[in-house]
Amino acid sequence: MHRTLPAGLGLETHPRVVFPVPSAVSGNGAFAYSTNPATGEVLAGIRLDDERSYETVLGRASEGFLRWRSIPAPVRGQVVRAIGEELRAHKEALGELIALEVGKIRAEGLGEVQETIDIADFAVGLSRQLYGKTMPSERADHVIREHWHPLGPIGVITAFNFPHAVWGWNAMIGAVCGDTMVWKPSLLAPLTALATNTIAQRVAEGLGHSGVFELVIGTDAVIGERLIADRRLPLVSATGSCRMGRHVGSVVAGRLGRTLLELGGNNAVIVEPDADLDLALRAIVFSAVGTAGQRCTTTRRLIAHASIVDPLTDRLATAYRSIRIGDPLAEGTLVGPLISASAVEAFERAIARAVAEGGKVVVGGKRFGSGNGHFVEPTIIRAPASGLPIAHEETFAPILYVFSYRTLDEALALNNGVSQGLSSAILTGSNRTAERFLGPAGTDCGLAYVNLGTSGAEIGGAFGGEKDTGGGRESGSDAWKAYMRRQTSTINYGSAFTLAQGIRFE
Ligand code: UN1
């Protein structure tokens, strides 16, 4: 399965990329190694940033901000439009690179690039719609209005599982808002970040704008800690585990900066007795098994009504047995590898714990294949009536825990009974049931789906979740407001000096 890097992205000649990997550099702490998780093969070495290069990058982003903030927003939108066009032109190559570096199947790698193209389109329109409000003043000849202004250079920390699109959500919106980006990607996906940022930077510089799209690739100890503590970055947008988010949140709060956190999920699908089971089957399989269970939106818990839980689980098990696992770039593969050997170990530990807690493996449960790839079998585990503590944790692997219930209240209590609050879904033919699920006493998650699975959000809505998921909102709707500072301005266009609240000061 040896593969070369996709052409046209300039990676082979990129000054930071050591390709092919000379064995002499192995083990040198100045490099990260991009590895194909399907084969274990090292794709390239990537030079890491250190304290000094971090300062250079921060300097560029800070100076870039002083220029970029004064470029009219619709003109900034034209830069984003050009980036979207360039991403369209490189969609195949980038999608394949994502597949190669993080093991997504080709369709999902392409889908991820499409997600950035979509958010770029959205951002172009938004660049003419950064609306503020006007308020009637209580004083004659006064007007009050809100202005939204660029915030500053912002830190963007992304995870391996969406190594391209999550940057896109932040960077395309941030750019039209007038911010400049300092992107710290996962060390598990440095090539995707290099290729992506190179495109954005080249387009922006070609149009005369430098310091807008900056990248720092480095360890958490040297780069991550520096970035989150850096007072020059008024906003840090971070995607990753709840543990990571807690740390980022507290460090940034300690300097009274802002965070936008998109952390772990523990997403459930509720299946009512009146659900269309064919639809349920397809929705659950995609959301539970897609991306090998490594989306923050992956369905991890199935909460099925007691009257249908057995036939539904049987049908799911049959579907799981027919899923093709293997080379993510091969036609017909639905499940690629996990990201790393330690992810496979975490999968095995979770299964062992589930079994020790009384869970019954219905299908899967083991590693898959004999090579160096990090493959596992998509797995279904039936929870005992007494509950399953492991199901409260997010394991980034395709494990689906099955619970049953009798009343909708019970199902909702299960749905909401975990610390995370990202995504949720219900399958039902009843409008009333669906509306109860969506209502204020229904699901407590940031994302709620009816007759769909928990993953696969479009970019137009605000994306994010509650509780331990961190409360941030990215992508569409009015998520842009997190990337700007709000100014309330009051203007006196008369000649009298009057005070609010009726105060007289004479
Ligand atoms: C993530 O897993 O971090 O809704 C993001 C989805 C994708 C985004 C997932 N559009 O599944």
Side-chain angles (χ1 to χ4, degrees):
M1 269 204 281
H2 174 84
R3 300 210 186 254
T4 49
L5 298 180
L9 297 172
L11 287 170
E12 289 87 346
T13 53
H14 196 288
R16 293 190 71 155
V17 178
V18 182
F19 178 84
V21 194
S23 52
V25 302
S26 303
N28 181 337
F31 288 86
Y33 296 96
S34 171
T35 307
N36 177 351
T39 59
E41 163 202 17
V42 177
L43 295 164
I46 292 93
R47 270 174 237 283
L48 293 182
D49 278 294
D50 58 15
E51 296 86 339
R52 279 187 42 209
S53 62
Y54 173 86
E55 276 307 311
T56 309
V57 170
L58 250 285
R60 278 204 302 265
S62 302
E63 283 163 27
F65 174 69
L66 301 181
R67 297 184 295 266
W68 188 239
R69 68 180 176 184
S70 296
I71 303 293
V75 179
R76 297 193 295 250
Q78 291 309 305
V79 176
V80 168
R81 187 169 74 86
I83 293 170
E85 289 305 321
E86 203 60 9
L87 292 174
R88 279 183 172 87
H90 292 91
K91 180 175 167 180
E92 290 286 329
L94 280 168
E96 192 173 311
L97 178 64
I98 294 168
L100 210 52
E101 191 172 45
V102 304
K104 285 191 186 193
I105 62 170
R106 185 188 294 272
E108 291 194 58
L110 293 173
E112 179 159 358
V113 184
Q114 188 59 46
E115 196 158 344
T116 303
I117 294 168
D118 292 343
I119 196 73
D121 285 352
F122 178 95
V124 177
L126 177 68
S127 71
R128 291 183 184 268
Q129 300 174 78
L130 300 169
Y131 299 139
K133 293 177 176 169
T134 62
M135 296 86 183
S137 170
E138 64 194 54
R139 287 171 280 181
D141 300 336
H142 284 58
V143 61
I144 305 175
R145 57 178 184 246
E146 286 178 350
H147 291 263
W148 289 91
H149 291 311
L151 188 61
I154 63 169
V156 179
I157 298 173
T158 58
F160 79 85
N161 68 328
F162 272 79
H164 172 84
V166 170
W167 166 84
W169 293 349
N170 286 281
M172 298 299 97
I173 300 292
V176 298
C177 289
D179 300 340
T180 57
M181 268 49 70
V182 179
W183 179 15
K184 180 196 170 295
S186 162
L187 288 184
L188 297 166
L191 286 179
T192 301
L194 267 183
T196 301
N197 206 67
T198 299
I199 289 173
Q201 209 169 48
R202 189 178 61 226
V203 170
E205 284 177 1
L207 292 167
H209 308 286
S210 57
V212 181
F213 300 100
E214 295 294 335
L215 182 67
V216 279
I217 304 179
T219 60
D220 289 345
V222 177
I223 298 299
E225 292 300 326
R226 216 169 226 88
L227 185 149
I228 61 179
D230 198 324
R231 297 182 66 89
R232 290 169 291 183
L233 302 171
L235 169 69
V236 175
S237 172
T239 303
S241 67
C242 295
R243 195 177 56 80
M244 178 279 275
R246 242 179 224 109
H247 176 63
V248 171
S250 67
V251 172
V252 179
R255 60 177 175 89
L256 300 179
R258 280 193 214 167
T259 47
L260 199 170
L261 299 176
E262 206 263 280
L263 311 175
N266 190 347
N267 319 298
V269 169
I270 298 173
V271 185
E272 279 277 286
D274 62 1
D276 174 339
L277 287 191
D278 294 335
L279 187 63
L281 192 73
R282 300 198 60 173
I284 296 164
V285 171
F286 173 74
S287 280
V289 165
T291 330
Q294 299 172 109
R295 290 194 190 208
C296 55
T297 52
T298 292
T299 301
R300 310 209 175 276
R301 298 176 298 140
L302 168 61
I303 303 171
H305 191 268
S307 63
I308 52 152
V309 67
D310 290 334
L312 180 59
T313 308
D314 285 350
R315 287 186 66 183
L316 279 168
T318 305
Y320 270 48
R321 283 186 198 102
S322 74
I323 284 168
R324 192 167 318 158
I325 309 166
D327 177 2
L329 285 162
E331 192 75 30
T333 300
L334 288 182
V335 172
L338 295 186
I339 189 67
S340 63
S342 58
V344 175
E345 284 156 22
F347 163 87
E348 289 181 318
R349 273 199 307 277
I351 306 248
R353 236 186 91 183
V355 170
E357 290 170 0
K360 193 174 148 301
V361 177
V362 178
V363 63
K366 294 203 253 329
R367 288 171 185 253
F368 178 86
S370 52
N372 292 325
H374 309 304
F375 296 96
V376 300
E377 296 171 344
T379 300
I380 299 177
I381 293 182
R382 189 74 179 262
S386 54
L388 194 63
I390 182 71
H392 285 257
E393 289 176 26
E394 179 189 47
T395 303
F396 241 43
I399 307 173
L400 181 68
Y401 303 110
V402 180
F403 299 83
S404 72
Y405 71 93
R406 293 201 177 275
T407 66
L408 184 60
D409 284 339
E410 252 180 77
L412 287 170
L414 279 168
N415 181 77
N416 296 347
V418 292
S419 58
Q420 309 87 341
L422 180 56
S423 188
S424 55
I426 193 164
L427 285 115
T428 176
S430 156
N431 221 10
R432 277 187 179 165
T433 306
E435 292 291 345
R436 272 193 65 199
F437 173 75
L438 299 173
T443 173
D444 63 3
C445 294
L447 307 172
Y449 293 91
V450 175
N451 292 326
L452 289 161
T454 57
S455 65
E458 301 180 17
I459 57 90
F463 183 96
E466 303 302 329
K467 304 194 289 186
D468 284 3
T469 303
R473 290 297 185 278
E474 298 177 296
S475 192
S477 186
D478 63 353
W480 61 271
K481 291 180 175 171
Y483 301 83
M484 301 198 87
R485 65 182 172 88
R486 183 196 318 233
Q487 179 188 76
T488 304
S489 44
T490 307
I491 302 117
N492 174 8
Y493 59 89
S495 45
F497 178 67
T498 45
L499 287 165
Q501 295 91 38
I503 295 173
R504 299 182 73 90
F505 199 80
E506 282 158 9

